[in-house]
Amino acid sequence: MCEEERNFCSGMDIKPEYMMLNIKASTDIEAIKILAENFFEAGVVKDTFVPAILQREKDFCTGLQFEEAGIAIPHTDAIHVNYPAVAIGKLETPVVFKSMGMPDTLVEVGIIFMLAIKEPHKQIEFLQLLMTKFQEKDILRRLMKCNTAEELTANFLASLV
Amino acid sequence: MKKILLACGTGICTSTAVNAKLQRILDEKGLKGQYQITQCKIAEVPMKSADFDLCIATTQVSGDVKCPFIMGVAFLTGMGLNPIIEKILTVFETK
């Protein structure tokens, strides 16, 4: 990634190796675990990240219903993170997540955006950018259609512009 | 001056995203300078809320909130945001 793109993404590392397609999971926790373990194997996060992000989802669920799709944005504290990055996981079949702030409301999630946050003040800008972009037409729809990790990475980077 | 308390799990993540959007909307409504926003952890809400005119959060509070409370997830998704803005504006109408 060139320097300009790095700045633009608030320092977030976005690479095909963090992307996972066709995740087979039957619960929200199972899906997060698969994506988080891949993040750990890639060296982005520490071994404590996996239990921490699972516990965090139980305490503060992160499902969000956008107009075009249901998504989830699991995240946890910076102490579990080596360097800032985003992992995207597409589920083979949607999994039910609890909605952020409204655990009684369920969201069918087909795509997960896992955030490894290292310096909160910088990377929160990135979260704001994501939330704004996901409200725009066709952005989530396009990401949902990607079939390879490279395609997903390229489309995600393009959608942030 | 209306004091608004913004809360999420950690007090830094989604509440910051809500903060940016809320400020933009309030300023567009001509309310610039008439509000003051403080961010905190959701666990601090029962203790802190007595000093505020409004609390907006992206997660549920356990315990008593001692000021009007609004669920603010719509600031992230844009879904159902207008009725929430209306509710927030009513806080500015009360003295």
Side-chain angles (χ1 to χ4, degrees):
Chain A
M1 195 184 289
C2 71
E3 196 55 37
E4 198 175 304
E5 277 177 336
R6 264 188 187 283
N7 290 338
F8 170 70
C9 300
S10 311
M12 286 289 198
D13 200 18
I14 298 164
K15 278 189 194 148
E17 59 182 296
Y18 312 147
M19 310 300 163
M20 293 184 83
L21 290 100
N22 303 317
I23 293 178
K24 290 182 185 63
S26 49
T27 65
D28 50 353
I29 294 299
E30 215 180 306
I32 292 174
K33 191 162 183 271
I34 292 168
L35 200 53
E37 281 173 350
N38 186 60
F39 234 174
F40 170 61
E41 278 160 29
V44 175
V45 298
K46 298 171 184 157
D47 57 352
T48 54
F49 181 85
V50 181
I53 201 165
L54 294 176
Q55 188 57 48
R56 182 57 162 272
E57 189 69 24
K58 289 173 190 165
D59 295 340
F60 303 107
C61 34
T62 65
L64 288 170
Q65 183 66 56
F66 281 84
E67 200 173 334
E68 293 193 341
I71 71 158
I73 52 161
H75 55 276
T76 188
D77 299 316
I79 49 163
H80 307 294
V81 172
N82 291 327
Y83 58 89
V86 186
I88 307 176
K90 273 185 67 187
L91 294 151
E92 198 177 64
T93 49
V95 165
V96 172
F97 275 67
K98 290 174 183 161
S99 173
M100 188 184 288
M102 299 167 279
D104 295 335
T105 305
L106 302 178
V107 183
E108 289 241 326
V109 170
I111 190 164
I112 300 171
F113 299 85
M114 182 173 285
L115 309 174
I117 292 167
K118 185 70 184 167
E119 297 157 281
H121 294 288
K122 279 193 198 166
Q123 282 120 42
I124 295 314
E125 286 169 28
F126 181 79
L127 180 66
Q128 277 167 240
L129 177 69
L130 274 193
M131 296 298 104
T132 308
K133 290 294 176 183
F134 289 168
Q135 292 177 42
E136 287 178 15
K137 200 169 162 356
D138 288 338
I139 295 233
L140 278 172
R141 219 192 305 265
R142 209 160 44 221
L143 292 174
M144 296 288 289
K145 280 186 190 156
C146 294
N147 289 318
T148 66
E150 287 73 21
E151 198 188 344
L152 190 56
T153 308
N155 254 288
F156 185 59
L157 285 169
S159 66
L160 297 174
V161 178
Chain B
M1 177 69 70
K2 296 296 176 186
K3 290 175 75 183
I4 302 171
L5 189 61
L6 284 187
C8 66
T10 55
I12 48 169
C13 200
T14 51
S15 60
T16 309
V18 172
N19 194 338
K21 183 103 182 237
L22 176 65
Q23 283 195 39
R24 204 171 66 231
I25 291 168
L26 291 179
D27 292 353
E28 276 169 12
K29 301 279 180 192
L31 295 168
K32 201 175 179 118
Q34 295 179 48
Y35 61 88
Q36 193 186 328
I37 298 175
T38 307
Q39 284 177 230
C40 76
K41 293 181 186 178
I42 197 76
E44 299 169 336
V45 167
M47 188 181 68
K48 288 194 170 171
S49 55
D51 295 330
F52 288 82
D53 299 294
L54 175 66
C55 175
I56 303 171
T58 56
T59 185
Q60 280 189 324
V61 190
S62 49
D64 284 342
V65 186
K66 298 171 192 72
C67 67
F69 178 82
I70 291 176
M71 180 51 66
V73 175
F75 281 98
L76 303 177
T77 62
M79 302 272 284
L81 185 57
N82 284 336
I84 287 178
I85 293 168
E86 293 302 316
K87 256 166 106 177
I88 292 169
L89 293 179
T90 60
V91 171
F92 283 86
E93 286 159 14
T94 56
K95 281 194 176 172

